Amino acid sequence: MEASVDAGAPGRLARLCTAGIRFPRLVVVGWLVAAAAVTLGLPSLPSVVERSSAAFLPEDAPTLTALHDMDEAFGSGRTESFAYIVFRNENGLSAADTLAYRDLVRTLGANQERVSEVQHFVGNKDARRHLVSKDGQAAYLVAGLTSGIGSPDSEQDIHWLRERVADLSLPRGSSAYVTGDPAMITDLTTEVNEASVRITVVSGLLLVIILLIIYRRVTTVLVSLVSIGVALACARGVLAWAGMQGMSLSTYTDAFVTAIVLGAGTDYCVFLISRFREAYGRGVDALPAVEEAATRVGPALVASAGTVILAAICLGFTKLAIFSTTGPPMAICVAVTVAVSLTFTPALMVWFGPRIGPARTPAPTSAWSRVGRLVARRPVRVLVAGTAVLVVLAAFLPTMVISYDQRNSQPPDTPSNKGLAVLEDHFPRNETLPDYLLLESTHDMRNSKDLAVLNEVSRAVAKVDGVSSVRSITQPAGEPLEPASIARQLKRLATGLGRASDGLEEGQPDLERLSSGSAQLADAISRVGRRRRPRPRRRRPTCERNQRSRQRSRPRYRGHA
């Protein structure tokens, strides 16, 4: 069926809105082919996201900058994040638990590509006091990861860690969990993706039910659902192609795409169908009614979509990756959805217009009729009343408390939350997840004056609300020093640190010569061993050996004058 109509509104926008009306068969087939091509011919969006998504925080974020500086000064220089592996046995950690702990330490240490360092208590009694709970029921180790938090590599590293933990031979009653910031983000992403599937299913069912209640025609519901499905397939395909071309995508992109297309597509279809039914109900033929709906509603839809697209593009200029990698994909989704709604949906309406049917004329006594008459008669009063309701709702805004507790953003039964619960039950609060304050200087701070300054900083930080304890070089146990002994302790500490550093520097050449000499000695011994083999010792007869033994064992006496 081909139609030839005169556009009621001039310009390119009118020609775009009436393209589906003029060439319905071409437009419908074209969109279906495009949806099939991007779905079958391109990798899936989740697989592209795994390769192209970025970490949550930019590299110049203060926390990452401090982490890199700390890692360069005190660590391996390759650490981007830390994961915690927690062991628990309610009956007390046994030898089998310790053996599993040792096996995991060896496994992690052997994979230098993923793990930059491992902090554990194997062979270290001092570390054991901190890494094993006082009740002896829990222990943990810290694994430094080379991947940034929230990146695809980080998710893969967490999954790899959990596979290694699952391979351990833990005794009955023991359990092990992987937790920490990268594990929390991984679990949060998993929960969001799983929730998006449930939300999509529930939203689709609600959409069908609501459309059936409002329009009471299956054809109307099918037109909306087919339009939304084509828009969703095309939007996902375009994003997958954009990700392959270098666009950074978020791990939440897949979930956002579904929600945006479902919401925007439903609104656009409802506006078009409602306007068509109004015109069709006034006695206008189906084809002119579709044209009127497209040309009258189209500019409003384009304006609405344009504001959303511009706002989403602005998110692309932010530094936080979750926003910068979400804004441009949102703009693409809205653009694809409005394009499908202005072309594909009117084409379907050309074919199924009579089956969509006219709108029912509302009764004068209906609720919506009364609301309309009230707004028309008393616009100022209605505006004031509506504003008052909004002000009352906004009055509760100051009571909102922003929480940075990541545990509340996901169910309590996720592996990372279970691990944090074990740490909280068996270790002091925030013992394993403290905040760090990095102090840097242009000169050597191992002197009494600078150590006194560090001690004052420690005391000042301890006075901040919410800080339970502070551990620093001047108070490693978390307890402040007595005022009378601060100067003496700081002087002794500075002297000891200086001597230790000087001793290591002076002893470095000797250590190198000793290492070289040991290697030469070992090589010489091995050569001698190869050249001279020991001769077998001749065994004496048993009787001869026994006789000589008895002779040696006899006591000797000296004569007396």
Side-chain angles (χ1 to χ4, degrees), residues 61-71 73-75 79-84 117 119 130-131 140-144 149 180-182 423 429-440 454 457-458 461-462 466-467 469-473 476:
T63 53
L64 291 184
T65 302
L67 176 62
H68 294 160
D69 292 344
M70 290 175 60
D71 189 40
F74 306 103
T79 304
E80 296 290 339
S81 58
F82 291 99
Y84 294 80
E117 59 179 310
Q119 302 173 18
H130 296 285
L131 300 180
Y140 71 93
L141 61 86
V142 185
I149 297 177
D181 289 336
L423 292 174
R429 190 174 182 85
N430 290 333
E431 175 76 11
T432 55
L433 297 175
D435 290 327
Y436 294 92
L437 180 62
L438 179 65
L439 302 179
E440 294 180 317
L454 295 177
V457 172
S458 301
V461 172
V467 176
S469 64
V470 177
R471 292 183 179 179
S472 65
I473 190 172

Side-chain angles (χ1 to χ4, degrees), residues 281-335:
R282 295 196 308 267
V284 181
D285 291 339
L287 191 60
V290 174
E291 180 186 359
E292 179 181 338
T295 54
R296 297 292 179 85
V297 177
L301 297 185
V302 172
S304 175
T307 57
V308 177
I309 291 173
L310 291 177
I313 291 176
C314 292
L315 290 177
F317 296 98
T318 60
K319 290 186 176 181
L320 194 61
I322 191 174
F323 294 141
S324 62
T325 59
T326 301
M330 289 175 57
I332 293 176
C333 290
V334 174

Side-chain angles (χ1 to χ4, degrees), residues 442 505 515 525:
T442 57
E505 294 176 357
S515 176
I525 291 175

Side-chain angles (χ1 to χ4, degrees), residues 239-558:
L239 288 180
W241 177 84
M244 295 173 61
Q245 304 307 313
M247 174 182 284
S248 296
L249 303 176
S250 169
T251 52
Y252 304 116
T253 299
D254 195 11
F256 287 156
V257 167
T258 304
I260 292 171
V261 173
L262 188 62
T266 302
D267 289 343
Y268 300 158
C269 289
V270 167
F271 291 150
L272 287 169
I273 293 174
S274 297
R275 192 58 183 258
F276 164 79
R277 295 178 77 238
E278 290 178 3
Y280 195 58
R282 295 196 308 267
V284 181
D285 291 339
L287 191 60
V290 174
E291 180 186 359
E292 179 181 338
T295 54
R296 297 292 179 85
V297 177
L301 297 185
V302 172
S304 175
T307 57
V308 177
I309 291 173
L310 291 177
I313 291 176
C314 292
L315 290 177
F317 296 98
T318 60
K319 290 186 176 181
L320 194 61
I322 191 174
F323 294 141
S324 62
T325 59
T326 301
M330 289 175 57
I332 293 176
C333 290
V334 174
V336 172
T337 304
V338 73
V340 171
S341 301
L342 293 178
T343 56
F344 183 80
T345 305
L348 293 181
M349 293 168 62
V350 169
W351 289 349
F352 301 102
R355 295 186 180 183
I356 294 176
R360 293 182 302 170
T361 303
T365 58
S366 65
W368 292 116
S369 298
R370 293 196 300 269
V371 171
R373 290 194 296 269
L374 176 62
V375 173
R377 291 197 307 266
R378 309 290 185 183
V380 177
R381 294 183 180 181
V382 172
L383 177 62
V384 172
T387 304
V389 173
L390 296 178
V391 170
V392 171
L393 295 177
F396 294 96
L397 181 62
T399 62
M400 181 179 64
V401 178
I402 300 177
S403 173
Y404 298 94
D405 190 353
Q406 299 178 4
R407 296 173 296 180
N408 295 332
S409 59
Q410 54 185 291
D413 57 350
T414 59
S416 56
N417 261 345
K418 289 182 178 179
L420 289 179
V422 173
L423 292 174
E424 187 173 359
D425 291 341
H426 297 278
F427 292 91
R429 190 174 182 85
N430 290 333
E431 175 76 11
T432 55
L433 297 175
D435 290 327
Y436 294 92
L437 180 62
L438 179 65
L439 302 179
E440 294 180 317
S441 175
T442 57
H443 61 276
D444 192 340
M445 292 188 291
R446 291 170 300 179
N447 57 78
S448 58
K449 182 178 179 181
D450 286 332
L451 290 176
V453 173
L454 295 177
N455 185 68
E456 290 300 320
V457 172
S458 301
R459 296 171 64 88
V461 172
K463 297 178 181 179
V464 176
D465 293 338
V467 176
S468 58
S469 64
V470 177
R471 292 183 179 179
S472 65
I473 190 172
T474 60
Q475 48 185 58
E479 298 295 335
L481 299 175
E482 295 293 335
S485 62
I486 288 179
R488 182 176 67 258
Q489 297 289 347
L490 292 180
K491 183 176 180 180
R492 184 182 301 174
L493 178 61
T495 303
L497 290 174
R499 289 178 179 176
S501 178
D502 296 340
L504 289 175
E505 294 176 357
E506 293 176 358
Q508 185 66 23
D510 295 335
L511 291 174
E512 294 177 355
R513 289 195 298 270
L514 177 61
S515 176
S516 177
S518 299
Q520 295 175 4
L521 179 60
D523 183 62
I525 291 175
S526 64
R527 290 199 300 270
V528 171
R530 288 193 298 268
R531 292 176 182 176
R532 298 185 59 186
R533 296 182 178 178
R535 296 179 179 179
R537 185 177 180 182
R538 185 178 63 86
R539 295 177 60 86
R540 299 187 183 94
T542 305
C543 60
E544 181 181 354
R545 291 201 308 270
N546 292 341
Q547 183 179 1
R548 287 175 178 251
S549 175
R550 286 194 298 268
Q551 290 177 357
R552 285 195 299 269
S553 63
R554 292 176 182 174
R556 296 181 180 181
Y557 299 96
R558 297 187 178 217

